[in-house]
């Protein structure tokens, strides 16, 4: 709801700017309160720079392709086609390189275990379903239903109220959810 208010009254950029002081405070607190234990020793020269670089190139090209693809009519654009080729080539090189290097950035051999691979696949599908609805519902409410940004955020207020309350047991979580739903309904109907 804070994001909807910022978007309506100021600009959509403020949704991102508001995280800057929180991030700076987090970095300062991390440096003050978190330290490595003495038994952890860093070995110099064990970073896979090529793997990081090729991964950044591949993911960066893919992200730009997905962001600008609709604006430029996908593969009808020469720029989008070049991005597709760069992304596919860089990610292929990344996969081959990670299997051959001694210290990979991403250890892909763990996917040889069937239980791990199945768990990752199921969690990925769950993520698509949960975050897909989280992203698509406000877009649908704004573009097709004509809601302003603040009103499009209202369906998520119950989730925000429940997530913000600490739950120590299942019964308390259910009670908090019912209480949050009631207050959300009461606020909506101005009781």
């Amino acid at each position: 709801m804070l994001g909807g208010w910022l978007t309506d009254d100021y600009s959509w950029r403020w949704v991102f700017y508001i995280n800057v002081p929180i991030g700076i405070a987090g970095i300062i607190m991390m440096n003050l309160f978190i330290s490595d234990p003495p038994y952890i020793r860093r070995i110099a020269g064990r970073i896979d720079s090529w793997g990081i670089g090729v991964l950044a190139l591949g993911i960066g090209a893919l992200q730009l392709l997905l962001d600008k693809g609709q604006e430029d009519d996908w593969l009808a654009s020469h720029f989008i086609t070049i991005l597709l080729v760069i992304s596919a080539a860089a990610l292929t090189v990344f996969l081959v390189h990670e299997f051959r290097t001694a210290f990979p950035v991403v250890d892909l051999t763990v996917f040889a275990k069937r239980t791990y691979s199945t768990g990752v696949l199921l969690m990925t599908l769950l993520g698509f379903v949960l975050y897909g609805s989280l992203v698509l519902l406000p877009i649908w409410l704004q573009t097709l239903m004509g809601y302003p940004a603040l009103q499009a955020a209202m369906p998520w207020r119950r989730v925000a109220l429940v997530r913000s309350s600490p739950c120590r047991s299942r019964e308390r979580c259910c009670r908090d959810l019912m209480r949050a739903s009631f207050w959300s309904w009461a606020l909506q109907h101005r009781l």
Side-chain angles (χ1 to χ4, degrees):
M1 291 189 315
L2 177 64
W5 172 72
L6 287 171
T7 303
D8 280 346
D9 290 348
Y10 297 101
S11 168
W12 63 268
R13 290 174 180 86
W14 279 97
V15 174
F16 299 103
Y17 295 153
I18 198 170
N19 291 322
V20 172
I22 296 169
I24 291 171
I27 289 171
I28 291 170
M29 290 176 66
M30 180 185 69
N31 287 332
L32 289 175
F33 300 114
I34 298 176
S35 62
D36 287 337
Y39 57 85
I40 294 180
R41 297 222 168 101
R42 295 176 192 244
I43 301 172
R46 301 287 187 198
I47 297 174
D48 182 17
S49 301
W50 282 100
I52 292 172
V54 174
L55 178 64
L57 177 67
I59 296 295
L62 180 64
Q63 182 67 42
L64 191 57
L65 165 110
L66 294 173
D67 284 345
K68 296 292 182 184
Q70 186 175 2
E71 294 174 13
D72 295 346
D73 197 23
W74 294 104
L75 294 178
S77 169
H78 185 65
F79 177 66
I80 299 298
T81 307
I82 289 173
L83 285 175
L84 179 65
V85 170
I86 289 172
S87 177
L91 292 175
T92 303
V93 168
F94 172 74
L95 289 175
V96 170
H97 176 74
E98 290 302 297
F99 279 118
R100 294 184 179 179
T101 189
F103 299 101
V105 174
V106 180
D107 187 12
L108 298 172
T109 58
V110 297
F111 288 102
K113 296 181 180 179
R114 189 171 41 171
T115 54
Y116 179 77
S117 298
T118 304
V120 168
L121 175 69
L122 291 174
M123 290 305 293
T124 302
L125 292 175
L126 179 69
F128 276 127
V129 170
L130 292 178
Y131 293 118
S133 65
L134 184 75
V135 168
L136 292 177
L137 181 65
I139 293 172
W140 175 72
L141 287 173
Q142 287 178 339
T143 56
L144 295 178
M145 302 301 288
Y147 282 35
L150 183 60
Q151 291 297 324
M154 288 300 170
W156 298 111
R157 67 182 175 265
R158 293 179 184 159
V159 176
L161 287 172
V162 171
R163 286 216 171 157
S164 65
S165 66
C167 294
R168 291 188 178 87
S169 67
R170 180 177 296 163
E171 293 81 18
R172 184 170 175 186
C173 283
C174 290
R175 189 175 59 240
D176 289 347
L177 178 61
M178 289 176 17
R179 186 179 299 139
S181 295
F182 169 75
W183 284 111
S184 174
W185 176 84
L187 289 173
Q188 183 177 2
H189 295 288
R190 290 164 178 69
L191 291 179

